[in-house]
Amino acid sequence: MPRRFITVLRRRFPAFEQLWQRFPDNVFVIRCESDGRFVVEAINPTLAAVIGRPSEAVAGLPLGEVVPAEYLALVEGRYRACADSGEPMTYEESGGPAGAEPRIWQTLMVPAQGRSGKVDYILGISRDITALRKAEAYLRDANAALERRVAERTAELECANARLTELATRDGLTGLYNRRHLFELATREFRRVVRTGQPLAVLMLDLDHFKDINDRFGHAAGDQVLRALSHVFQTALRQTDLIGRYGGEEFLVLLPDTDAREAEHIADRLRESCATVEHRWNHQTFQCTLSIGIAHYDAERDDGLDTLLQRADHALLRAKAAGRNCLVIGG
Ligand SMILES: Nc1nc2c(ncn2[C@@H]2O[C@H](COP(=O)(O)OP(=O)(O)OP(=O)(O)O)[C@@H](O)[C@H]2O)c(=O)[nH]1
């Protein structure tokens, strides 16, 4: 029998008595009476301190005289379930005296069967896990806050990276690809057509008498024209075409998979749309025309991107010499 057993243990083994006196969790032994009632057989000093009564004063009392009335039905229900099932049970509960901070308890109950097989005693250990649960909740919150912060920082970094890529690849004034990045893309495109043998047209665009615009209206007006025309060019081209700012008022366009007739047609569309844009500056309006040199990839002649660009450049010079606002196809 547990009481006898515990009493014997405590008397016979000083080490067990030490353990019983010092054990930091609550230990209790409940006797199950044959009429279904429960009696407190023994509680250790830790549990005695929690309920505020000496162990000796509680031993032998019916459960109803030890457990506060508001918890009695709940506690009895648990003991009954353990006794009826004959199986160990664990549960968690919160409670405590009114006005005090509620505590959370984790309890393990083990039924002890007598010779008849009936459960005579329930041995229990109950641990105050309030601090543990609080620490877990704190860690959960801290973790969630950290995850939120990491997500925010990742979004900020992605934004900054996108901005850096933008700065590294785009021309600050027009928003078109800058010369360096355009060369990278053009080189890639050139390698592709060398491999596939597909057509590739190159247009070298140069605004006519742009210096006059700067001289007449000022540099800021010139900048406005460059921005406006860049937008016009970009909208006139297909998604697959590449356009970038090649120099001051010079632009390079690559037209992949475009035959000679189509390239000429696109070039003329660019030339015309440029010429028809009306620019306004200080209550004055003016137009700006465009000369274009065209070159087509020729596997026999173009062993590198340079020669193809050179041929487009020569064609552009001829367009200028021919009076501007026109296009010339390079030989
Ligand atoms: N406003 C402005 N002007 C620029 C920019 N880059 C280059 N330019 C100007 O573009 C002008 C180019 O002049 P030129 O090379 O003589 O050519 P052009 O006057 O267009 O004459 P043609 O090309 O022969 O028709 C110069 O006045 C440059 O200062 C820029 O970013 N903004």
Side-chain angles (χ1 to χ4, degrees), residues 203-205 208 260-272 290-294 315-316 318-320 322-330:
L203 313 182
M204 199 69 86
L205 278 52
D208 296 330
R261 247 192 59 212
E262 206 184 344
E264 200 176 329
H265 179 72
I266 293 169
D268 203 48
R269 197 170 68 211
L270 290 175
R271 185 199 59 76
E272 199 175 319
L290 176 68
S291 300
I292 302 177
I294 307 176
L316 171 64
R318 282 167 50 209
K320 290 280 182 185
R324 297 176 172 80
N325 191 19
C326 63
L327 38 113
V328 167
I329 299 161

Side-chain angles (χ1 to χ4, degrees), residues 244-306:
R245 192 170 177 205
Y246 195 65
E249 22 67 272
E250 211 173 342
F251 303 87
L252 175 67
V253 175
L254 274 91
L255 305 173
D257 303 330
T258 310
D259 62 26
R261 247 192 59 212
E262 206 184 344
E264 200 176 329
H265 179 72
I266 293 169
D268 203 48
R269 197 170 68 211
L270 290 175
R271 185 199 59 76
E272 199 175 319
S273 47
C274 175
T276 49
V277 175
E278 211 159 68
H279 305 278
R280 288 170 204 280
W281 191 261
N282 283 344
H283 311 294
Q284 295 187 74
T285 56
F286 59 94
Q287 270 132 324
C288 177
T289 59
L290 176 68
S291 300
I292 302 177
I294 307 176
H296 295 282
Y297 167 67
D298 181 343
E300 301 287 308
R301 289 197 290 171
D302 297 321
D303 52 0
L305 178 66
D306 290 0

